[in-house]
């Protein structure tokens, strides 16, 4: 990819079960000049699709706008159920600066996309994180609170008027949060219990808003098909709070309930530095750096 400027985008769509719909949503990202589809994964329990792509700003913008249109057409949240909180057919669309792009440029791109999709699809848009127009809109959890069902009334409150689009929830597609942010690691830790209350209590204890780890958001999730529960985590700045700290704190909190960790997973892509940091901790490596990673040197 001989692109001068590179932006990453990780749109989350509220569809994790219908493979035909998923294929149509992802289609605008395939074989498109200036855009590369890196990964997409669907989770049936969460009923959610997470797509990771990179591209030149203008090409990426156009692809994302097209995919949002497809999702608005296909997804009806009146008939949507899943473990993951959601307020829209397209729930959240973050833009992340990667190469020769400033955070300010990523913010401008997010606002351009927000204004465009509001006009094209009559979709209410909230700007969040670095793009937020007020402090109380920065945190995605605060924006999403009430979810699709509660947004019908919430959006009418003066403090929750959308940044773009009508001040009425879209009847089937809900609302969308669009913004710019640092790279995020979606990290889930599976527990040896089917009691959702335990996973929820552990999540509450490790997340920053309740006095836990900084840059950690978490919630308990039930994985019915596997008869287990999960602490679903968003690491909002892995350079400030490492993955291994979240893992170890979950292990400590789980002990009080006689529960163990039976596995963990990364959703989507993860920066190599986040894994190297964790490997260094568990292996007790001294003075290890990214420069010692073979693939890192090859890509220089």
């Amino acid at each position: 990819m001989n692109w001068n400027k590179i932006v990453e985008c990780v749109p989350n769509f509220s569809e994790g079960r219908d493979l035909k719909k998923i294929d149509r949503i992802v289609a605008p990202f395939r074989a498109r000049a200036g855009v590369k589809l890196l990964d997409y994964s669907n989770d049936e329990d969460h009923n959610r699709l997470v797509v990771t792509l990179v591209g030149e700003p203008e090409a990426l913008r156009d692809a994302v706008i097209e995919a949002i249109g497809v999702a608005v057409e296909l997804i009806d949240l009146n008939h949507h159920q899943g473990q993951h909180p959601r307020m829209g057919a397209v729930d959240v669309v973050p833009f992340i600066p990667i190469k020769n792009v400033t955070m300010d440029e990523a913010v401008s791109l997010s606002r351009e996309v927000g204004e465009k999709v509001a006009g094209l699809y009559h979709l209410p848009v909230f700007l969040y994180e670095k793009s937020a127009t007020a402090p109380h809109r920065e945190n995605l959890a605060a924006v999403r609170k009430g979810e699709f069902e509660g947004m019908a009334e919430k959006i009418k409150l003066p403090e929750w008027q959308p940044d773009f689009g009508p001040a009425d929830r879209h009847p089937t597609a809900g609302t969308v949060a669009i913004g710019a942010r640092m790279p995020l690691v979606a990290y889930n830790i599976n527990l040896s219990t089917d009691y959702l209350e335990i996973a929820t209590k552990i999540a509450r204890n490790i997340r920053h808003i309740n006095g836990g780890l900084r840059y950690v958001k978490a919630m308990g999730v039930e994985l019915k098909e596997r008869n287990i529960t999960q602490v679903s985590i968003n690491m909002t700045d892995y350079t400030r709070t490492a993955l291994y700290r979240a893992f170890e704190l979950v292990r400590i909190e789980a002990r009080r309930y006689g529960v163990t960790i039976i596995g963990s997973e990364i959703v989507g892509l993860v920066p190599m530095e986040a894994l190297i940091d964790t490997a260094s901790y568990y292996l007790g490596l001294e003075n290890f750096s990214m420069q010692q990673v073979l693939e890192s040197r090859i890509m220089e």
Side-chain angles (χ1 to χ4, degrees), residues 86-127:
R86 80 287 181 269
M87 65 180 186
V90 192
D91 195 55
V92 58
V93 183
F95 291 93
I96 303 105
I98 299 296
K99 176 186 175 184
N100 295 331
V101 176
T102 66
M103 184 59 76
D104 285 344
E105 288 175 308
V107 168
S108 295
L109 181 61
S110 71
R111 290 179 175 172
E112 185 179 357
V113 170
E115 185 173 17
K116 193 74 172 178
V117 299
L120 285 173
Y121 312 124
H122 308 290
L123 193 64
V125 175
F126 294 103
L127 298 172

Side-chain angles (χ1 to χ4, degrees), residues 2 11 47 88-89 117 132-133 147 194 207 232 248 290 292 295:
N2 296 318
N47 201 3
V117 299
T133 52
E147 299 190 46
D194 60 352
R207 64 193 180 204
S232 181
E248 290 298 334
M290 283 285 291
Q292 293 175 259
E295 288 84 356

Side-chain angles (χ1 to χ4, degrees), residues 251-263:
R251 191 205 301 272
I252 290 169
E253 291 292 334
R255 279 196 198 124
R256 68 166 68 181
Y257 305 106
V259 170
T260 60
I261 292 173
I262 59 175

Side-chain angles (χ1 to χ4, degrees), residues 237-265:
D237 189 343
Y238 67 89
T239 67
R240 309 285 289 278
T241 298
L243 268 65
Y244 67 80
R245 291 180 192 153
F247 184 87
E248 290 298 334
L249 187 53
V250 169
R251 191 205 301 272
I252 290 169
E253 291 292 334
R255 279 196 198 124
R256 68 166 68 181
Y257 305 106
V259 170
T260 60
I261 292 173
I262 59 175
S264 67
E265 64 177 353

